[in-house]
Every structure is written in structure tokens, then in C-alpha cells.
């Protein structure tokens, strides 16, 4: 209920309901007991909602937060499907998959984790990623049409270490490129102060946003991204054809690193450790910006990973599941 979805889902005209959920694995015994209690409360809440809504099927995504809904659907005999956005599933999704009829995944590399249940759909993204043109996106965002564009972002809450690294490299980077920076609300004031310290000629090249609802437009307009390696990068970067410097979040288990390694394996991204941002980010960005041939090839390789129509594929798979089990 504290996440961005609490605001975004109602904006799409959909009812938004919350329920308790708690982690069981990777916790000390007391926390695990508390997690089990929250899971039990969540299952009861999910049972009430599913009985109220009477759905033909249930689609879940995420980790432990999906558990109450999926277990409740299984208890009520409602066909269900998991969508796993990451390349490698966490322990929760592996265990939950026994309750689901199918597991939709982003890439073929993930199928081996779900024998007999896995189906490749790709990562669903908004249609704008495929429909927007770079020149139109740049014009709408008031960016210089012929200047290299770097976008830095860290999810809906921003990324502190990326933001702080950007503070230190702004003067040098802005002499080479214009920057769109999605900071998150927490660091917005700090980044605005950093902008005010810049010469006027560089300030106009630095575009700050706490949050962007039209992120597809910014990604399509950009030539290079600096971002975390959450699951959305597996869908949005390929859809935008956007090469990236990926900074896996070091405290999120292994999934961000594995996502980053997947994109790097296909020459769609470079990877830098969070601890190396201070010394390594600017040289890496400059090297890529000064090598347009390499950047163009990375763009081609990134686009090859895109799967247009992923959302429709997920719907078809879910519909087939209801027909099979109905």
C-alpha cells in the first residue's frame, strides 16, 4: 500500500486492494514466525476478496507478496498463473510454482526452472515503447535534437548511490551530453542544488524529475541509460532499443546481478558494481559516448531481445489455462 502501485493502479480505472504478506525465508526465527502470521492473515484476506470477485483466473507476479493470493486461488480451485519477470526465480517463486497451472517467463533461459509449466511470453511494456519515435520524444521533452542523451534513474524511489555518483560527474558529463535524471523524491532537492552550482550553459542540459509517468518517452529519447537491473530493465530497455550501464543493487539478493549479466551476455549492456560508481562511472560513460559504432551495435543487440506483444501473450496463456481447467 506504500508503493507506487497504490497511486498508479487506480489511475488506470482498476480497483486496488491490499492484503498482509510476510517473508518466511532468510529471516531469523522470530521474524519468520511474524512472516507466517502475516501470510496466514493474507490468505484469509485473499480468500475473502476472491470469493467476492469470483474470478475465472488469477495472475500473480512478484515474490512473497504474491503468496497469499496464489495459495487462496489454489484452495478455491481457481486456475492461476505466475508471471516471473526476472531471469532466475527466487526461492519463493520456486516454491509457489507448485500451486500454479503455468509460469510465464521473460526469456528462454528461465524455462529449465519450471519443467512442464514454463512458457516464454516476454516482459510486458506499454505500447509507447514501440510506437514513439526518438525525434518526437526529444522534442516533447525539450531536449536538443542532435546532442547525445543520457538518462539516469533508479526505479520509483530513485537510487541513492547512482544519484550521488551523478553529483560528482555532472560537470564533465554535461560537457559531452545532455542528461535526464529521475532522482526519486528523497534526493530531488540535493540534485536541484547540484544543478544550481553548474554554469548556466550546463544547467540547461540537465533535466531533473522526481518521478516520470512518461518514462517510455525518456527512454526512447535517450542514447544511453544508467540504472539498476530490476526486472523492468529486461523489458523496457530492449523495447526502447536502449543500451545501458547497469548497476545491480547489492542488497537485493542475486536477481539484479543475474538480470544484468543476461543483458551483458548479449552485448546489450555494460555492468558496473555499486561500490565502483565513484571511480568508474564517468570513464565508462565517456568511453561509450565516444564510440558511436559500439553504441549503435549495442542498440541493435538490445532490440533483438525485445518481445512485442508480451502482454497479449500472457493473456492468451491465461485464457487457455481457464479453458483447460474449466
Amino acid at each position: 500500500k506504500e508503493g507506487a502501485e497504490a497511486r498508479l493502479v487506480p489511475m488506470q480505472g482498476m480497483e486496488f486492494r491490499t492484503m498482509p504478506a510476510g517473508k518466511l525465508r532468510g529471516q531469523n526465527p522470530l521474524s519468520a514466525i511474524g512472516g507466517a502470521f502475516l501470510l496466514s492473515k493474507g490468505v484469509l484476506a485473499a480468500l475473502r476478496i476472491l470469493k467476492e470477485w469470483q474470478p475465472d483466473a488469477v495472475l500473480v507476479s512478484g515474490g512473497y507478496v504474491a503468496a497469499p493470493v496464489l495459495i487462496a486461488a489454489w484452495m478455491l480451485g481457481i486456475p492461476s498463473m505466475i508471471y516471473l519477470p526476472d531471469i532466475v526465480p527466487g526461492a519463493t517463486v520456486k516454491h509457489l510454482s507448485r500451486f500454479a497451472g503455468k509460469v510465464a517467463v521473460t526469456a528462454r533461459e528461465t524455462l529449465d526452472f519450471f519443467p512442464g509449466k514454463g512458457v516464454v511470453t516476454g516482459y510486458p511494456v506499454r505500447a509507447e515503447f514501440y510506437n514513439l519515435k526518438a525525434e518526437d520524444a526529444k522534442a516533447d521533452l525539450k531536449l536538443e535534437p542532435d546532442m547525445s542523451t543520457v538518462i539516469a534513474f533508479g526505479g520509483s524511489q530513485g537510487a541513492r548511490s547512482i544519484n550521488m555518483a551523478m553529483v560528482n560527474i555532472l560537470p564533465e558529463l554535461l560537457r559531452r551530453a545532455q542528461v535526464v535524471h529521475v532522482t526519486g523524491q528523497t534526493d530531488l532537492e540535493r540534485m536541484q542544488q547540484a544543478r544550481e552550482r553548474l554554469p548556466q550553459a550546463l544547467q540547461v542540459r540537465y533535466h531533473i524529475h522526481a518521478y516520470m509517468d512518461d518514462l517510455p518517452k525518456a527512454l526512447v529519447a535517450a542514447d544511453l541509460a544508467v540504472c539498476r537491473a530490476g526486472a523492468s530493465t529486461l523489458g523496457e530497455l530492449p523495447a526502447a532499443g536502449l543500451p545501458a550501464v547497469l548497476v545491480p543493487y547489492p542488497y537485493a539478493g542475486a536477481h539484479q546481478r543475474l538480470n544484468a549479466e543476461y543483458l551483458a551476455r548479449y552485448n546489450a549492456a555494460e555492468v558496473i558494481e555499486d561500490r565502483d560508481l565513484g571511480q568508474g562511472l564517468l570513464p565508462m560513460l565517456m568511453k561509450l559516448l565516444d564510440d558511436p559504432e559500439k553504441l549503435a551495435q549495442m542498440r541493435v543487440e538490445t532490440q533483438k531481445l525485445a518481445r512485442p506483444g508480451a502482454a497479449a501473450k500472457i493473456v492468451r496463456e491465461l485464457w487457455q489455462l481457464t479453458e483447460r481447467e474449466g
Side-chain angles (χ1 to χ4, degrees):
K1 60 186 178 181
E2 292 88 6
E5 56 268 32
R7 178 177 65 88
L8 294 174
V9 172
M11 285 172 58
Q12 303 304 316
M14 293 184 284
E15 185 175 353
F16 182 76
R17 301 278 284 270
T18 65
M19 65 196 64
K23 294 182 181 180
L24 296 180
R25 294 176 59 87
Q27 305 289 301
N28 63 51
L30 286 178
S31 296
I33 292 171
F37 175 70
L38 287 174
L39 175 60
S40 299
K41 286 185 66 177
V43 170
L44 292 174
L47 284 168
R48 286 194 295 270
I49 292 172
L50 293 179
K51 287 177 180 179
E52 175 189 341
W53 285 358
Q54 292 291 304
D56 295 298
V58 168
L59 173 67
V60 303
S61 190
Y64 70 92
V65 295
V69 184
L70 191 63
I71 293 171
W74 174 77
M75 292 172 67
L76 294 172
I78 301 171
S80 62
M81 184 167 81
I82 296 172
Y83 171 62
L84 171 69
D86 293 302
I87 294 299
V88 175
T92 300
V93 172
K94 287 180 185 175
H95 288 296
L96 286 178
S97 64
R98 71 186 69 180
F99 298 106
K102 287 184 181 180
V103 181
V105 299
T106 299
R108 296 188 185 280
E109 282 85 340
T110 315
L111 286 177
D112 290 343
F113 293 99
F114 306 105
K117 286 190 176 183
V119 57
V120 180
T121 60
Y123 187 103
V125 300
R126 285 175 277 180
E128 295 96 307
F129 281 103
Y130 294 107
N131 298 334
L132 285 168
K133 295 185 185 215
E135 55 268 28
D136 294 336
K138 279 191 173 185
D140 287 348
L141 294 173
K142 297 180 171 52
L143 299 172
E144 289 295 326
D146 300 320
M147 183 178 292
S148 296
T149 305
V150 174
I151 180 168
F153 63 101
S156 61
Q157 303 301 317
R160 170 59 58 85
S161 56
I162 292 177
N163 290 345
M164 295 305 96
M166 292 296 293
V167 167
N168 295 325
I169 69 173
L170 277 176
E172 291 84 1
L173 181 58
L174 289 167
R175 292 188 182 97
R176 179 63 182 80
Q178 56 194 337
V179 175
V180 177
H181 191 175
V182 185
T183 65
Q185 191 62 50
T186 303
D187 288 332
L188 177 62
E189 184 176 354
R190 186 190 297 256
M191 302 313 298
Q192 288 172 332
Q193 291 170 351
R195 185 180 187 274
E196 291 169 2
R197 293 194 295 267
L198 294 167
Q200 184 62 36
L202 299 185
Q203 286 187 27
V204 297
R205 297 181 179 180
Y206 186 41
H207 304 262
I208 307 175
H209 304 267
Y211 181 81
M212 288 187 79
D213 285 330
D214 57 352
L215 188 62
K217 191 176 292 183
L219 296 185
V220 170
D223 299 292
L224 183 62
V226 180
C227 58
R228 292 298 191 197
S232 63
T233 60
L234 300 174
E236 293 176 349
L237 296 180
L242 181 59
V245 172
L246 296 175
V247 191
Y249 184 55
Y251 308 111
H255 70 272
Q256 286 211 9
R257 175 172 301 283
L258 294 166
N259 292 342
E261 289 173 354
Y262 167 78
L263 289 172
R265 190 160 59 246
Y266 286 96
N267 298 314
E270 300 281 349
V271 182
I272 184 171
E273 299 297 332
D274 196 84
R275 64 176 178 271
D276 297 329
L277 281 170
Q279 298 296 321
L281 181 58
L282 182 63
M284 185 174 285
L285 291 175
M286 290 299 198
K287 183 178 179 182
L288 290 171
L289 290 170
D290 290 338
D291 191 347
E293 289 186 8
K294 177 176 176 60
L295 210 53
Q297 187 57 41
M298 288 177 70
R299 183 177 289 276
V300 170
E301 298 304 321
T302 306
Q303 289 172 328
K304 289 180 182 178
L305 299 176
R307 289 184 177 272
K313 174 74 171 170
I314 289 173
V315 170
R316 286 196 299 272
E317 293 294 336
L318 191 60
W319 188 248
Q320 290 171 11
L321 188 64
T322 65
E323 292 177 332
R324 189 181 76 194
E325 298 195 10

